[in-house]
Amino acid sequence: MARRPLAIGGVVFGAWMMIVAGTWQVLVGIAALVEDEFFVTAAGYAYEFDLTGWGWVHLIIGIIAVLVGFSLFTGSDWARALGIAIAVASMIANFMWLPFQPWWSIMVIALDVFVIWALVSVGDRMRFPDQEPDR
C-alpha cells in the first residue's frame, strides 16, 4: 500500500488540533472549578447545570482528548474511533456550554468538526507500508 502524505498530514494536523482543543477544554474546566463566578450564566437556559459540574465535564473531556490526540500518532484504528467519539462528545458539551462562553465554544466546535473530518476521511490510508493492521 502506498503512503499518502496528504491523508497522513491531515490526521497529524487533526491530532494536533485535538490536542489543542483538549487543552482548551482542560483550561476552561479548571477555570469553572476554581473560579465559577468568572462565568456569566444565562437565566432560563434549557441545559442549566452547576458550573462546577460543567467544569468537571470539560476537564474530563479535555484530558481524554489530549491523550487520544497523542495516541493518534500511532496510526491505530482504535485511536481514530475513540478520537471521533471524543470529538463528538466535545461538540455536544460545547454546544450546551454556548450561553456561558459563546466564542470559546464556537472555536472548539470548529476544531472538533475538522478533527472528525480528518479522522473519518483518512480510512486505511493512515497506515505506513511497514505497519500491520490492528487485530
Side-chain angles (χ1 to χ4, degrees):
M1 180 182 310
R3 184 202 264 197
R4 307 238 167 91
L6 185 60
I8 293 170
V11 171
V12 169
F13 187 70
W16 279 113
M17 290 301 100
M18 183 169 231
I19 292 166
V20 167
T23 302
W24 288 355
Q25 296 266 50
V26 167
L27 292 175
V28 80
I30 291 171
L33 288 172
V34 173
E35 191 70 39
D36 62 354
E37 291 85 27
F38 173 75
F39 298 102
V40 178
T41 58
Y45 183 55
Y47 304 110
E48 192 171 332
F49 294 112
D50 180 47
L51 284 174
T52 303
W54 274 119
W56 283 110
V57 167
H58 284 286
L59 186 65
I60 291 167
I61 289 174
I63 289 170
I64 294 171
V66 169
L67 293 174
V68 170
F70 279 116
S71 67
L72 283 169
F73 293 117
T74 65
S76 65
D77 291 337
W78 69 265
R80 281 194 359 245
L82 192 55
I84 293 166
I86 292 300
V88 167
S90 174
M91 286 175 62
I92 292 168
N94 278 285
F95 172 76
M96 296 185 339
W97 182 251
L98 271 169
F100 303 107
Q101 290 288 307
W103 291 107
W104 184 286
S105 295
I106 290 169
M107 287 188 310
V108 174
I109 289 169
L111 286 177
D112 289 334
V113 167
F114 178 79
V115 166
I116 291 169
W117 171 81
L119 297 180
V120 168
S121 66
V122 72
D124 278 344
R125 294 174 290 182
M126 181 62 188
R127 296 214 190 290
F128 292 100
D130 59 341
Q131 282 184 318
E132 291 292 322
D134 289 344
R135 303 217 187 267

